[in-house]
Structures are given as structure tokens and as C-alpha cells.
Amino acid sequence: LFGAFLERSVVKLLANFTFFCQLRHPKEVGGALFMTSTVTSVAMSFVSVHLYTTQYDGSNKLDSDTLHAFLLTLYMIWLISAIIFVAFIKREYLHTFWSLDTGPEHNRKTYLALRADQDDLKAEILREHPDQYASWGDELLKPWTLKNWNRWEEEKPEWFTEKWIDCVPNDYVPFDWRVKYKKTKGRSEKRRGSVSVKELLGGVEDK
């Protein structure tokens, strides 16, 4: 928990103060929030200087003109860099700077854009945390896994490993295979322990 908190804090700081543009990805900060944080950070620097020059009266107070000149210089460097960046970026990526897509929505669009024969790329989505596909998984991922599971068991593609199977929600696995995994201990103890006896042996078979 602490590690996750630290990671997200570092990401937020980088997004706010460095224009680390890769963080606009939907699975990080997101385009709209990234740009909002960037613009807010620039604006707050002017607010901070204004408050300092008008409210602080200490003996070591810096000269107002010097501070404003320094701030404007930094702002111009930032602005010129941003203009150059926009001038050279591929136009099809511009919308990502104000996109409202979330991580799950990004995954959904990625899934729909993949071809029918790109099972390996589709399978990568199921390696992620369930929150990244829970809102649409039953609609798209579950029918896909139930339809193709028998074929994968026969063909044994490289990505179809026990580790990957452990990532798949139990109700995304055909009922017959769930029973077989239970009997042959083909899935990890943790995953098998999360499945009820009723679900495995007396549940309703998935259609």
C-alpha cells in the first residue's frame, strides 16, 4: 500500500512540474488532468510570486523586478519548448493531451481495434488488475475466452500459460475446464481457493 502511494505521488509530482508527457497516458494521469495540472502549475508560479512580493516583508526579501524577470524568462523557455514540441509531434497524437479516456476505456478501445487473430495482444489485458476491464469485460472479454478456450488448450500458444490462466477471472473460464483445473490442481492454490465448491461442482455451466 505504501509503495503504491509513493509511486502515485511521484507520478503526480512529475506530471505537475516536469511536463513528462508520457504521463498523459490513460493508465497514468490521463490527458485532460495532465494538461490541467500543467497549466495550473504555470499559473500558480505567477500567483506565488505575486503573493511573495505583496505579502512578505522580511528583511531578506528579494527584489520584485528580479523575481518577475526570472519568472518571465522561465515561462518563455517553457512556452517556446511547448510550441516546438507541438510543431513536431504527430498530429494523430494531439488529442491525447485533452482526452478524457480512463484506463478501462483505453483497454476497451484497444481490444476493439485488435484483429480476430491477435489473441496474444488481447490476452495481455487480462494480466492487468480487474478494475482495468471490469466495466466492459463481461460484454467482450468473457465471450471471447469462453469461445476460444478449448482451442487454446489444444494449440497451447506461448502466452497460454498457467500464470496467465491464474489471471483470468473464474467466470471467464468454461465450467468444464474449471472443474478439470480443480481436480488436476492445474491452477495455483490461491486461485483455486477463491472458487466455491458450488461454483466448481454444482454451478450452472457457462453458456
Side-chain angles (χ1 to χ4, degrees), residues 11-24 29-46 75 78-79 82 85 97:
V11 167
K12 190 65 169 67
L13 287 172
L14 289 173
N16 283 353
F17 302 112
T18 68
F19 199 67
F20 188 7
C21 60
Q22 286 84 351
L23 295 178
R24 74 189 189 281
V29 178
L33 182 56
F34 175 81
M35 285 306 299
T36 300
S37 297
T38 300
V39 173
T40 301
S41 296
V42 173
M44 286 306 296
S45 62
F46 286 92
Y75 172 71
W78 176 86
L79 183 61
F85 177 82
F97 284 90

PDB file of all heavy atoms in Angstrom, residues 11-24 29-46 75 78-79 82 85 97:
ATOM      1  N   VAL A  11       4.449  10.169  -9.506  1.00  0.00           N
ATOM      2  CA  VAL A  11       3.845  10.412 -10.820  1.00  0.00           C
ATOM      3  C   VAL A  11       3.143  11.766 -10.852  1.00  0.00           C
ATOM      4  O   VAL A  11       3.276  12.536 -11.813  1.00  0.00           O
ATOM      5  CB  VAL A  11       2.849   9.283 -11.167  1.00  0.00           C
ATOM      6  CG1 VAL A  11       1.969   9.680 -12.363  1.00  0.00           C
ATOM      7  CG2 VAL A  11       3.593   7.997 -11.486  1.00  0.00           C
ATOM      8  N   LYS A  12       2.412  12.078  -9.774  1.00  0.00           N
ATOM      9  CA  LYS A  12       1.699  13.361  -9.719  1.00  0.00           C
ATOM     10  C   LYS A  12       2.678  14.534  -9.707  1.00  0.00           C
ATOM     11  O   LYS A  12       2.457  15.552 -10.381  1.00  0.00           O
ATOM     12  CB  LYS A  12       0.818  13.409  -8.458  1.00  0.00           C
ATOM     13  CG  LYS A  12      -0.139  14.596  -8.422  1.00  0.00           C
ATOM     14  CD  LYS A  12      -1.162  14.501  -9.547  1.00  0.00           C
ATOM     15  CE  LYS A  12      -2.269  15.523  -9.375  1.00  0.00           C
ATOM     16  NZ  LYS A  12      -1.797  16.916  -9.540  1.00  0.00           N
ATOM     17  N   LEU A  13       3.755  14.407  -8.954  1.00  0.00           N
ATOM     18  CA  LEU A  13       4.752  15.472  -8.917  1.00  0.00           C
ATOM     19  C   LEU A  13       5.403  15.674 -10.281  1.00  0.00           C
ATOM     20  O   LEU A  13       5.601  16.808 -10.730  1.00  0.00           O
ATOM     21  CB  LEU A  13       5.825  15.149  -7.868  1.00  0.00           C
ATOM     22  CG  LEU A  13       5.399  15.291  -6.401  1.00  0.00           C
ATOM     23  CD1 LEU A  13       6.488  14.749  -5.487  1.00  0.00           C
ATOM     24  CD2 LEU A  13       5.089  16.744  -6.077  1.00  0.00           C
ATOM     25  N   LEU A  14       5.723  14.584 -10.945  1.00  0.00           N
ATOM     26  CA  LEU A  14       6.316  14.679 -12.280  1.00  0.00           C
ATOM     27  C   LEU A  14       5.349  15.313 -13.271  1.00  0.00           C
ATOM     28  O   LEU A  14       5.731  16.144 -14.101  1.00  0.00           O
ATOM     29  CB  LEU A  14       6.731  13.289 -12.773  1.00  0.00           C
ATOM     30  CG  LEU A  14       7.932  12.642 -12.079  1.00  0.00           C
ATOM     31  CD1 LEU A  14       8.110  11.211 -12.552  1.00  0.00           C
ATOM     32  CD2 LEU A  14       9.188  13.458 -12.343  1.00  0.00           C
ATOM     33  N   ALA A  15       4.082  14.927 -13.179  1.00  0.00           N
ATOM     34  CA  ALA A  15       3.071  15.487 -14.086  1.00  0.00           C
ATOM     35  C   ALA A  15       2.880  16.980 -13.841  1.00  0.00           C
ATOM     36  O   ALA A  15       2.675  17.758 -14.778  1.00  0.00           O
ATOM     37  CB  ALA A  15       1.744  14.753 -13.911  1.00  0.00           C
ATOM     38  N   ASN A  16       2.957  17.386 -12.594  1.00  0.00           N
ATOM     39  CA  ASN A  16       2.725  18.793 -12.253  1.00  0.00           C
ATOM     40  C   ASN A  16       3.870  19.712 -12.659  1.00  0.00           C
ATOM     41  O   ASN A  16       3.647  20.836 -13.103  1.00  0.00           O
ATOM     42  CB  ASN A  16       2.501  18.929 -10.743  1.00  0.00           C
ATOM     43  CG  ASN A  16       1.109  18.494 -10.325  1.00  0.00           C
ATOM     44  OD1 ASN A  16       0.271  18.204 -11.168  1.00  0.00           O
ATOM     45  ND2 ASN A  16       0.880  18.425  -9.040  1.00  0.00           N
ATOM     46  N   PHE A  17       5.098  19.223 -12.498  1.00  0.00           N
ATOM     47  CA  PHE A  17       6.230  20.150 -12.576  1.00  0.00           C
ATOM     48  C   PHE A  17       7.269  19.868 -13.662  1.00  0.00           C
ATOM     49  O   PHE A  17       8.216  20.631 -13.797  1.00  0.00           O
ATOM     50  CB  PHE A  17       6.938  20.192 -11.219  1.00  0.00           C
ATOM     51  CG  PHE A  17       6.040  20.608 -10.093  1.00  0.00           C
ATOM     52  CD1 PHE A  17       5.681  19.723  -9.102  1.00  0.00           C
ATOM     53  CD2 PHE A  17       5.532  21.903 -10.042  1.00  0.00           C
ATOM     54  CE1 PHE A  17       4.839  20.104  -8.067  1.00  0.00           C
ATOM     55  CE2 PHE A  17       4.697  22.297  -9.013  1.00  0.00           C
ATOM     56  CZ  PHE A  17       4.348  21.402  -8.020  1.00  0.00           C
ATOM     57  N   THR A  18       7.122  18.799 -14.430  1.00  0.00           N
ATOM     58  CA  THR A  18       8.172  18.473 -15.409  1.00  0.00           C
ATOM     59  C   THR A  18       7.682  18.366 -16.845  1.00  0.00           C
ATOM     60  O   THR A  18       8.482  18.207 -17.755  1.00  0.00           O
ATOM     61  CB  THR A  18       8.858  17.147 -15.046  1.00  0.00           C
ATOM     62  OG1 THR A  18       7.918  16.068 -15.214  1.00  0.00           O
ATOM     63  CG2 THR A  18       9.375  17.168 -13.615  1.00  0.00           C
ATOM     64  N   PHE A  19       6.399  18.422 -17.076  1.00  0.00           N
ATOM     65  CA  PHE A  19       5.844  18.189 -18.415  1.00  0.00           C
ATOM     66  C   PHE A  19       6.340  16.860 -18.986  1.00  0.00           C
ATOM     67  O   PHE A  19       6.695  16.736 -20.151  1.00  0.00           O
ATOM     68  CB  PHE A  19       6.182  19.338 -19.370  1.00  0.00           C
ATOM     69  CG  PHE A  19       5.275  19.390 -20.583  1.00  0.00           C
ATOM     70  CD1 PHE A  19       3.935  19.707 -20.440  1.00  0.00           C
ATOM     71  CD2 PHE A  19       5.749  19.107 -21.850  1.00  0.00           C
ATOM     72  CE1 PHE A  19       3.085  19.737 -21.540  1.00  0.00           C
ATOM     73  CE2 PHE A  19       4.908  19.137 -22.959  1.00  0.00           C
ATOM     74  CZ  PHE A  19       3.580  19.458 -22.797  1.00  0.00           C
ATOM     75  N   PHE A  20       6.358  15.856 -18.122  1.00  0.00           N
ATOM     76  CA  PHE A  20       6.718  14.495 -18.528  1.00  0.00           C
ATOM     77  C   PHE A  20       5.522  13.934 -19.300  1.00  0.00           C
ATOM     78  O   PHE A  20       4.639  13.313 -18.753  1.00  0.00           O
ATOM     79  CB  PHE A  20       7.021  13.670 -17.281  1.00  0.00           C
ATOM     80  CG  PHE A  20       7.580  12.304 -17.545  1.00  0.00           C
ATOM     81  CD1 PHE A  20       7.931  11.897 -18.824  1.00  0.00           C
ATOM     82  CD2 PHE A  20       7.767  11.424 -16.502  1.00  0.00           C
ATOM     83  CE1 PHE A  20       8.450  10.638 -19.053  1.00  0.00           C
ATOM     84  CE2 PHE A  20       8.275  10.153 -16.717  1.00  0.00           C
ATOM     85  CZ  PHE A  20       8.616   9.767 -17.999  1.00  0.00           C
ATOM     86  N   CYS A  21       5.523  14.167 -20.622  1.00  0.00           N
ATOM     87  CA  CYS A  21       4.294  13.998 -21.405  1.00  0.00           C
ATOM     88  C   CYS A  21       3.810  12.549 -21.508  1.00  0.00           C
ATOM     89  O   CYS A  21       2.640  12.304 -21.819  1.00  0.00           O
ATOM     90  CB  CYS A  21       4.461  14.604 -22.794  1.00  0.00           C
ATOM     91  SG  CYS A  21       5.797  13.878 -23.765  1.00  0.00           S
ATOM     92  N   GLN A  22       4.698  11.573 -21.244  1.00  0.00           N
ATOM     93  CA  GLN A  22       4.245  10.183 -21.271  1.00  0.00           C
ATOM     94  C   GLN A  22       3.199   9.904 -20.190  1.00  0.00           C
ATOM     95  O   GLN A  22       2.422   8.950 -20.304  1.00  0.00           O
ATOM     96  CB  GLN A  22       5.439   9.230 -21.093  1.00  0.00           C
ATOM     97  CG  GLN A  22       6.328   9.095 -22.307  1.00  0.00           C
ATOM     98  CD  GLN A  22       7.362  10.189 -22.402  1.00  0.00           C
ATOM     99  OE1 GLN A  22       7.317  11.159 -21.643  1.00  0.00           O
ATOM    100  NE2 GLN A  22       8.316  10.049 -23.312  1.00  0.00           N
ATOM    101  N   LEU A  23       3.159  10.755 -19.181  1.00  0.00           N
ATOM    102  CA  LEU A  23       2.207  10.554 -18.087  1.00  0.00           C
ATOM    103  C   LEU A  23       0.782  10.931 -18.468  1.00  0.00           C
ATOM    104  O   LEU A  23      -0.132  10.757 -17.664  1.00  0.00           O
ATOM    105  CB  LEU A  23       2.647  11.354 -16.858  1.00  0.00           C
ATOM    106  CG  LEU A  23       3.966  10.907 -16.236  1.00  0.00           C
ATOM    107  CD1 LEU A  23       4.324  11.805 -15.060  1.00  0.00           C
ATOM    108  CD2 LEU A  23       3.886   9.451 -15.782  1.00  0.00           C
ATOM    109  N   ARG A  24       0.583  11.439 -19.680  1.00  0.00           N
ATOM    110  CA  ARG A  24      -0.781  11.732 -20.127  1.00  0.00           C
ATOM    111  C   ARG A  24      -1.526  10.451 -20.520  1.00  0.00           C
ATOM    112  O   ARG A  24      -2.716  10.489 -20.847  1.00  0.00           O
ATOM    113  CB  ARG A  24      -0.750  12.686 -21.319  1.00  0.00           C
ATOM    114  CG  ARG A  24      -0.304  12.050 -22.626  1.00  0.00           C
ATOM    115  CD  ARG A  24      -0.101  13.105 -23.701  1.00  0.00           C
ATOM    116  NE  ARG A  24       0.127  12.528 -25.027  1.00  0.00           N
ATOM    117  CZ  ARG A  24       1.267  12.021 -25.455  1.00  0.00           C
ATOM    118  NH1 ARG A  24       2.323  12.003 -24.640  1.00  0.00           N
ATOM    119  NH2 ARG A  24       1.390  11.516 -26.674  1.00  0.00           N
ATOM    120  N   VAL A  29      -1.918   9.555 -15.562  1.00  0.00           N
ATOM    121  CA  VAL A  29      -2.690  10.716 -15.123  1.00  0.00           C
ATOM    122  C   VAL A  29      -3.895  10.951 -16.030  1.00  0.00           C
ATOM    123  O   VAL A  29      -4.958  11.368 -15.580  1.00  0.00           O
ATOM    124  CB  VAL A  29      -1.788  11.969 -15.087  1.00  0.00           C
ATOM    125  CG1 VAL A  29      -2.591  13.197 -14.687  1.00  0.00           C
ATOM    126  CG2 VAL A  29      -0.641  11.754 -14.108  1.00  0.00           C
ATOM    127  N   GLY A  30      -3.728  10.670 -17.319  1.00  0.00           N
ATOM    128  CA  GLY A  30      -4.789  10.964 -18.281  1.00  0.00           C
ATOM    129  C   GLY A  30      -4.553  12.307 -18.949  1.00  0.00           C
ATOM    130  O   GLY A  30      -3.993  13.229 -18.340  1.00  0.00           O
ATOM    131  N   GLY A  31      -4.962  12.434 -20.200  1.00  0.00           N
ATOM    132  CA  GLY A  31      -4.682  13.634 -20.977  1.00  0.00           C
ATOM    133  C   GLY A  31      -5.230  14.918 -20.380  1.00  0.00           C
ATOM    134  O   GLY A  31      -4.505  15.902 -20.216  1.00  0.00           O
ATOM    135  N   ALA A  32      -6.523  14.934 -20.054  1.00  0.00           N
ATOM    136  CA  ALA A  32      -7.159  16.153 -19.562  1.00  0.00           C
ATOM    137  C   ALA A  32      -6.562  16.603 -18.230  1.00  0.00           C
ATOM    138  O   ALA A  32      -6.270  17.781 -18.029  1.00  0.00           O
ATOM    139  CB  ALA A  32      -8.664  15.929 -19.423  1.00  0.00           C
ATOM    140  N   LEU A  33      -6.368  15.662 -17.308  1.00  0.00           N
ATOM    141  CA  LEU A  33      -5.807  16.022 -15.997  1.00  0.00           C
ATOM    142  C   LEU A  33      -4.345  16.437 -16.133  1.00  0.00           C
ATOM    143  O   LEU A  33      -3.877  17.332 -15.429  1.00  0.00           O
ATOM    144  CB  LEU A  33      -5.934  14.853 -15.031  1.00  0.00           C
ATOM    145  CG  LEU A  33      -5.429  15.100 -13.601  1.00  0.00           C
ATOM    146  CD1 LEU A  33      -6.129  16.307 -12.982  1.00  0.00           C
ATOM    147  CD2 LEU A  33      -5.639  13.859 -12.735  1.00  0.00           C
ATOM    148  N   PHE A  34      -3.632  15.807 -17.069  1.00  0.00           N
ATOM    149  CA  PHE A  34      -2.232  16.166 -17.291  1.00  0.00           C
ATOM    150  C   PHE A  34      -2.117  17.623 -17.723  1.00  0.00           C
ATOM    151  O   PHE A  34      -1.307  18.386 -17.184  1.00  0.00           O
ATOM    152  CB  PHE A  34      -1.620  15.249 -18.351  1.00  0.00           C
ATOM    153  CG  PHE A  34      -0.212  15.615 -18.737  1.00  0.00           C
ATOM    154  CD1 PHE A  34       0.854  15.228 -17.949  1.00  0.00           C
ATOM    155  CD2 PHE A  34       0.030  16.361 -19.879  1.00  0.00           C
ATOM    156  CE1 PHE A  34       2.160  15.582 -18.291  1.00  0.00           C
ATOM    157  CE2 PHE A  34       1.326  16.712 -20.235  1.00  0.00           C
ATOM    158  CZ  PHE A  34       2.393  16.322 -19.440  1.00  0.00           C
ATOM    159  N   MET A  35      -2.936  18.031 -18.683  1.00  0.00           N
ATOM    160  CA  MET A  35      -2.883  19.407 -19.165  1.00  0.00           C
ATOM    161  C   MET A  35      -3.385  20.385 -18.104  1.00  0.00           C
ATOM    162  O   MET A  35      -2.843  21.486 -17.956  1.00  0.00           O
ATOM    163  CB  MET A  35      -3.697  19.560 -20.441  1.00  0.00           C
ATOM    164  CG  MET A  35      -3.032  18.964 -21.674  1.00  0.00           C
ATOM    165  SD  MET A  35      -1.352  19.586 -21.960  1.00  0.00           S
ATOM    166  CE  MET A  35      -1.643  21.341 -22.170  1.00  0.00           C
ATOM    167  N   THR A  36      -4.410  19.988 -17.365  1.00  0.00           N
ATOM    168  CA  THR A  36      -4.914  20.840 -16.287  1.00  0.00           C
ATOM    169  C   THR A  36      -3.832  21.076 -15.229  1.00  0.00           C
ATOM    170  O   THR A  36      -3.624  22.206 -14.772  1.00  0.00           O
ATOM    171  CB  THR A  36      -6.143  20.204 -15.624  1.00  0.00           C
ATOM    172  OG1 THR A  36      -7.179  20.033 -16.598  1.00  0.00           O
ATOM    173  CG2 THR A  36      -6.665  21.073 -14.495  1.00  0.00           C
ATOM    174  N   SER A  37      -3.123  20.002 -14.865  1.00  0.00           N
ATOM    175  CA  SER A  37      -2.051  20.126 -13.880  1.00  0.00           C
ATOM    176  C   SER A  37      -0.925  21.010 -14.397  1.00  0.00           C
ATOM    177  O   SER A  37      -0.363  21.821 -13.652  1.00  0.00           O
ATOM    178  CB  SER A  37      -1.495  18.731 -13.530  1.00  0.00           C
ATOM    179  OG  SER A  37      -2.475  17.927 -12.919  1.00  0.00           O
ATOM    180  N   THR A  38      -0.596  20.871 -15.687  1.00  0.00           N
ATOM    181  CA  THR A  38       0.485  21.659 -16.279  1.00  0.00           C
ATOM    182  C   THR A  38       0.152  23.148 -16.276  1.00  0.00           C
ATOM    183  O   THR A  38       0.947  23.991 -15.838  1.00  0.00           O
ATOM    184  CB  THR A  38       0.763  21.198 -17.722  1.00  0.00           C
ATOM    185  OG1 THR A  38       1.144  19.817 -17.713  1.00  0.00           O
ATOM    186  CG2 THR A  38       1.866  22.019 -18.361  1.00  0.00           C
ATOM    187  N   VAL A  39      -1.047  23.470 -16.772  1.00  0.00           N
ATOM    188  CA  VAL A  39      -1.463  24.872 -16.834  1.00  0.00           C
ATOM    189  C   VAL A  39      -1.597  25.459 -15.427  1.00  0.00           C
ATOM    190  O   VAL A  39      -1.194  26.602 -15.173  1.00  0.00           O
ATOM    191  CB  VAL A  39      -2.789  25.007 -17.604  1.00  0.00           C
ATOM    192  CG1 VAL A  39      -3.319  26.431 -17.530  1.00  0.00           C
ATOM    193  CG2 VAL A  39      -2.596  24.592 -19.065  1.00  0.00           C
ATOM    194  N   THR A  40      -2.148  24.681 -14.506  1.00  0.00           N
ATOM    195  CA  THR A  40      -2.304  25.140 -13.127  1.00  0.00           C
ATOM    196  C   THR A  40      -0.950  25.422 -12.481  1.00  0.00           C
ATOM    197  O   THR A  40      -0.783  26.422 -11.770  1.00  0.00           O
ATOM    198  CB  THR A  40      -3.059  24.097 -12.292  1.00  0.00           C
ATOM    199  OG1 THR A  40      -4.344  23.870 -12.869  1.00  0.00           O
ATOM    200  CG2 THR A  40      -3.240  24.572 -10.864  1.00  0.00           C
ATOM    201  N   SER A  41       0.023  24.562 -12.753  1.00  0.00           N
ATOM    202  CA  SER A  41       1.357  24.755 -12.179  1.00  0.00           C
ATOM    203  C   SER A  41       2.000  26.039 -12.683  1.00  0.00           C
ATOM    204  O   SER A  41       2.621  26.786 -11.917  1.00  0.00           O
ATOM    205  CB  SER A  41       2.249  23.555 -12.507  1.00  0.00           C
ATOM    206  OG  SER A  41       1.759  22.385 -11.913  1.00  0.00           O
ATOM    207  N   VAL A  42       1.841  26.303 -13.986  1.00  0.00           N
ATOM    208  CA  VAL A  42       2.397  27.535 -14.548  1.00  0.00           C
ATOM    209  C   VAL A  42       1.712  28.752 -13.935  1.00  0.00           C
ATOM    210  O   VAL A  42       2.360  29.730 -13.535  1.00  0.00           O
ATOM    211  CB  VAL A  42       2.240  27.546 -16.080  1.00  0.00           C
ATOM    212  CG1 VAL A  42       2.657  28.898 -16.654  1.00  0.00           C
ATOM    213  CG2 VAL A  42       3.070  26.431 -16.709  1.00  0.00           C
ATOM    214  N   ALA A  43       0.386  28.691 -13.850  1.00  0.00           N
ATOM    215  CA  ALA A  43      -0.359  29.818 -13.285  1.00  0.00           C
ATOM    216  C   ALA A  43      -0.003  30.058 -11.821  1.00  0.00           C
ATOM    217  O   ALA A  43       0.137  31.208 -11.381  1.00  0.00           O
ATOM    218  CB  ALA A  43      -1.858  29.568 -13.432  1.00  0.00           C
ATOM    219  N   MET A  44       0.159  28.973 -11.059  1.00  0.00           N
ATOM    220  CA  MET A  44       0.452  29.111  -9.634  1.00  0.00           C
ATOM    221  C   MET A  44       1.822  29.727  -9.371  1.00  0.00           C
ATOM    222  O   MET A  44       2.035  30.334  -8.322  1.00  0.00           O
ATOM    223  CB  MET A  44       0.351  27.751  -8.943  1.00  0.00           C
ATOM    224  CG  MET A  44      -1.076  27.255  -8.757  1.00  0.00           C
ATOM    225  SD  MET A  44      -2.138  28.453  -7.898  1.00  0.00           S
ATOM    226  CE  MET A  44      -1.326  28.531  -6.306  1.00  0.00           C
ATOM    227  N   SER A  45       2.743  29.571 -10.331  1.00  0.00           N
ATOM    228  CA  SER A  45       4.046  30.204 -10.141  1.00  0.00           C
ATOM    229  C   SER A  45       3.908  31.728 -10.143  1.00  0.00           C
ATOM    230  O   SER A  45       4.551  32.426  -9.348  1.00  0.00           O
ATOM    231  CB  SER A  45       5.020  29.751 -11.230  1.00  0.00           C
ATOM    232  OG  SER A  45       4.575  30.145 -12.509  1.00  0.00           O
ATOM    233  N   PHE A  46       3.025  32.256 -10.996  1.00  0.00           N
ATOM    234  CA  PHE A  46       2.776  33.699 -11.021  1.00  0.00           C
ATOM    235  C   PHE A  46       2.038  34.141  -9.755  1.00  0.00           C
ATOM    236  O   PHE A  46       2.324  35.209  -9.193  1.00  0.00           O
ATOM    237  CB  PHE A  46       1.964  34.077 -12.262  1.00  0.00           C
ATOM    238  CG  PHE A  46       2.753  34.032 -13.530  1.00  0.00           C
ATOM    239  CD1 PHE A  46       2.793  32.886 -14.309  1.00  0.00           C
ATOM    240  CD2 PHE A  46       3.479  35.142 -13.958  1.00  0.00           C
ATOM    241  CE1 PHE A  46       3.529  32.846 -15.479  1.00  0.00           C
ATOM    242  CE2 PHE A  46       4.217  35.113 -15.134  1.00  0.00           C
ATOM    243  CZ  PHE A  46       4.245  33.956 -15.902  1.00  0.00           C
ATOM    244  N   TYR A  75       9.135  31.186 -17.951  1.00  0.00           N
ATOM    245  CA  TYR A  75       7.881  30.980 -18.668  1.00  0.00           C
ATOM    246  C   TYR A  75       8.103  30.978 -20.182  1.00  0.00           C
ATOM    247  O   TYR A  75       7.530  30.148 -20.899  1.00  0.00           O
ATOM    248  CB  TYR A  75       6.871  32.064 -18.290  1.00  0.00           C
ATOM    249  CG  TYR A  75       5.612  32.029 -19.130  1.00  0.00           C
ATOM    250  CD1 TYR A  75       4.692  30.992 -18.971  1.00  0.00           C
ATOM    251  CD2 TYR A  75       5.360  32.997 -20.092  1.00  0.00           C
ATOM    252  CE1 TYR A  75       3.544  30.940 -19.752  1.00  0.00           C
ATOM    253  CE2 TYR A  75       4.215  32.952 -20.871  1.00  0.00           C
ATOM    254  CZ  TYR A  75       3.314  31.923 -20.702  1.00  0.00           C
ATOM    255  OH  TYR A  75       2.190  31.864 -21.472  1.00  0.00           O
ATOM    256  N   TRP A  78       9.628  27.729 -21.219  1.00  0.00           N
ATOM    257  CA  TRP A  78       8.582  26.690 -21.221  1.00  0.00           C
ATOM    258  C   TRP A  78       7.677  26.830 -22.437  1.00  0.00           C
ATOM    259  O   TRP A  78       7.355  25.839 -23.108  1.00  0.00           O
ATOM    260  CB  TRP A  78       7.769  26.805 -19.935  1.00  0.00           C
ATOM    261  CG  TRP A  78       6.596  25.858 -19.870  1.00  0.00           C
ATOM    262  CD1 TRP A  78       6.611  24.567 -19.443  1.00  0.00           C
ATOM    263  CD2 TRP A  78       5.245  26.129 -20.286  1.00  0.00           C
ATOM    264  NE1 TRP A  78       5.357  24.005 -19.549  1.00  0.00           N
ATOM    265  CE2 TRP A  78       4.501  24.946 -20.065  1.00  0.00           C
ATOM    266  CE3 TRP A  78       4.604  27.262 -20.807  1.00  0.00           C
ATOM    267  CZ2 TRP A  78       3.152  24.869 -20.353  1.00  0.00           C
ATOM    268  CZ3 TRP A  78       3.246  27.176 -21.092  1.00  0.00           C
ATOM    269  CH2 TRP A  78       2.532  25.993 -20.866  1.00  0.00           C
ATOM    270  N   LEU A  79       7.248  28.054 -22.747  1.00  0.00           N
ATOM    271  CA  LEU A  79       6.336  28.287 -23.859  1.00  0.00           C
ATOM    272  C   LEU A  79       6.977  27.933 -25.199  1.00  0.00           C
ATOM    273  O   LEU A  79       6.350  27.266 -26.038  1.00  0.00           O
ATOM    274  CB  LEU A  79       5.884  29.746 -23.859  1.00  0.00           C
ATOM    275  CG  LEU A  79       4.863  30.137 -24.944  1.00  0.00           C
ATOM    276  CD1 LEU A  79       3.584  29.330 -24.767  1.00  0.00           C
ATOM    277  CD2 LEU A  79       4.572  31.639 -24.873  1.00  0.00           C
ATOM    278  N   ALA A  82       7.218  24.218 -25.540  1.00  0.00           N
ATOM    279  CA  ALA A  82       5.907  23.632 -25.820  1.00  0.00           C
ATOM    280  C   ALA A  82       5.517  23.834 -27.278  1.00  0.00           C
ATOM    281  O   ALA A  82       4.977  22.919 -27.929  1.00  0.00           O
ATOM    282  CB  ALA A  82       4.854  24.249 -24.896  1.00  0.00           C
ATOM    283  N   PHE A  85       7.532  21.498 -29.386  1.00  0.00           N
ATOM    284  CA  PHE A  85       7.021  20.136 -29.194  1.00  0.00           C
ATOM    285  C   PHE A  85       5.766  19.898 -30.032  1.00  0.00           C
ATOM    286  O   PHE A  85       5.651  18.888 -30.739  1.00  0.00           O
ATOM    287  CB  PHE A  85       6.725  19.914 -27.716  1.00  0.00           C
ATOM    288  CG  PHE A  85       6.138  18.574 -27.399  1.00  0.00           C
ATOM    289  CD1 PHE A  85       6.940  17.464 -27.260  1.00  0.00           C
ATOM    290  CD2 PHE A  85       4.764  18.424 -27.244  1.00  0.00           C
ATOM    291  CE1 PHE A  85       6.397  16.222 -26.970  1.00  0.00           C
ATOM    292  CE2 PHE A  85       4.208  17.194 -26.953  1.00  0.00           C
ATOM    293  CZ  PHE A  85       5.030  16.085 -26.812  1.00  0.00           C
ATOM    294  N   PHE A  97      -3.699  14.861 -25.463  1.00  0.00           N
ATOM    295  CA  PHE A  97      -3.394  15.858 -24.440  1.00  0.00           C
ATOM    296  C   PHE A  97      -4.656  16.433 -23.796  1.00  0.00           C
ATOM    297  O   PHE A  97      -4.565  17.146 -22.797  1.00  0.00           O
ATOM    298  CB  PHE A  97      -2.546  16.986 -25.027  1.00  0.00           C
ATOM    299  CG  PHE A  97      -1.114  16.596 -25.239  1.00  0.00           C
ATOM    300  CD1 PHE A  97      -0.709  16.042 -26.435  1.00  0.00           C
ATOM    301  CD2 PHE A  97      -0.186  16.761 -24.229  1.00  0.00           C
ATOM    302  CE1 PHE A  97       0.618  15.663 -26.642  1.00  0.00           C
ATOM    303  CE2 PHE A  97       1.138  16.387 -24.417  1.00  0.00           C
ATOM    304  CZ  PHE A  97       1.540  15.835 -25.625  1.00  0.00           C
TER     305      PHE A  97
END
